[in-house]
Amino acid sequence: MQSPTDNETGRMETSAGGELISFEGDTVQEPYEGMLFESEGAAKAFYDEYARRVGFVTRVLSSRKSERDGSIISRGLGCRGGSDNKKTRHLQTQKRDRRREGCTAMILVKREKPGQWIVRKFVRDHNHPLVVQLQKSRPTLDEKDKKIQELTAELRVKKRLTSAYREQLLMFVKDVEDHNEHLSKKVQVVVDNLKDLEAKRQELLLHR
């Protein structure tokens, strides 16, 4: 069950926590503290998809390993910053300190137990414009409708072909049956003639 809290910003609270955010008609599930995942990879995939649809690029902020077995027990993911062009990446490489002081949007997930990772911290706000590219990354409704129409047309063609093949097969079977019936009649005629000849031969033998 959902109830709108801010129609102007396109945000809606969900009963499970977090928010559904509307970007140009596209609804995006936002992370929230307490959100559960089956693995660290699943959490990263979710945040990457969230970032792609909202309009930013992610990077690994931090990792913490278990002292016992060396496995990852927590992972921090954040926003890489503003524009992701080559010039910006070059400047970020040359000035790492400035990059660390960049966008603070992030998510922190921790392993509670095997098969359960939980969001312990989520920072939503960015200090730079977001660039949403839904047109390239996700099919629009028009594209989906077009695909459905193409598949429907293809299905109709296949149905017509199937019907034509079935009709041809039935005609072939009928021809075979007619041919067999014709052969049966010919064989019967030959059998009847042989019977007549045998009867006449027997009759001649009796009159000798």
Side-chain angles (χ1 to χ4, degrees):
M1 184 72 179
Q2 302 166 352
S3 59
T5 60
D6 191 343
N7 292 331
E8 292 181 358
T9 59
R11 298 185 181 277
M12 294 184 292
E13 290 284 350
T14 67
S15 59
E19 296 181 347
L20 294 177
I21 309 173
S22 178
F23 285 91
E24 299 182 1
D26 183 46
T27 302
V28 181
Q29 171 65 59
E30 187 174 78
Y32 58 90
E33 294 182 9
M35 193 174 192
L36 296 175
F37 296 94
E38 294 181 354
S39 66
E40 182 264 336
K44 184 178 186 304
F46 173 85
Y47 193 64
D48 286 344
E49 176 65 11
Y50 164 76
R52 181 185 67 80
R53 294 171 66 181
V54 170
F56 66 95
V57 180
T58 65
R59 63 187 176 100
V60 175
L61 297 177
S62 63
S63 296
R64 183 182 174 190
K65 295 184 178 181
S66 169
E67 295 180 356
R68 184 181 62 181
D69 57 12
S71 61
I72 299 294
I73 58 175
S74 72
R75 177 82 76 183
L77 303 170
C79 175
R80 182 176 293 178
S83 175
D84 190 38
N85 56 39
K86 294 182 179 179
K87 181 178 179 181
T88 301
R89 290 200 300 271
H90 177 71
L91 291 174
Q92 289 175 342
T93 301
Q94 296 295 322
K95 301 178 181 180
R96 295 182 183 276
D97 291 338
R98 289 183 60 187
R99 184 185 66 179
R100 293 192 186 97
E101 297 173 358
C103 185
T104 57
M106 57 85 69
I107 186 174
L108 176 66
V109 293
K110 290 187 176 181
R111 187 178 69 190
E112 293 290 292
K113 57 184 178 180
Q116 185 177 95
W117 287 68
I118 187 169
V119 176
R120 284 303 183 190
K121 184 177 181 180
F122 170 59
V123 179
R124 173 196 302 131
D125 296 332
H126 298 259
N127 60 2
H128 58 86
L130 300 176
V131 182
V132 182
Q133 296 180 340
L134 296 176
Q135 184 67 25
K136 294 182 179 179
S137 61
R138 187 179 181 187
T140 63
L141 290 177
D142 290 340
E143 291 173 341
K144 290 181 179 179
D145 290 341
K146 183 179 179 180
K147 186 64 176 178
I148 291 173
Q149 290 176 356
E150 291 175 353
L151 292 175
T152 302
E154 184 178 351
L155 181 61
R156 288 174 180 170
V157 171
K158 289 183 177 180
K159 283 184 176 181
R160 285 197 293 267
L161 288 174
T162 301
S163 178
Y165 292 151
R166 182 176 180 275
E167 188 174 328
Q168 291 180 5
L169 180 59
L170 291 175
M171 290 177 62
F172 175 75
V173 171
K174 187 176 184 303
D175 289 342
V176 171
E177 290 176 348
D178 291 344
H179 183 66
N180 288 339
E181 184 179 357
H182 183 66
L183 287 177
S184 297
K185 289 180 179 179
K186 282 189 173 183
V187 170
Q188 187 62 44
V189 170
V190 171
V191 170
D192 292 341
N193 289 337
L194 289 175
K195 287 181 179 179
D196 290 342
L197 290 174
E198 181 62 21
K200 289 180 180 179
R201 189 178 71 84
Q202 292 293 335
E203 183 177 352
L204 290 174
L205 289 174
L206 290 174
H207 286 84
R208 283 183 179 182

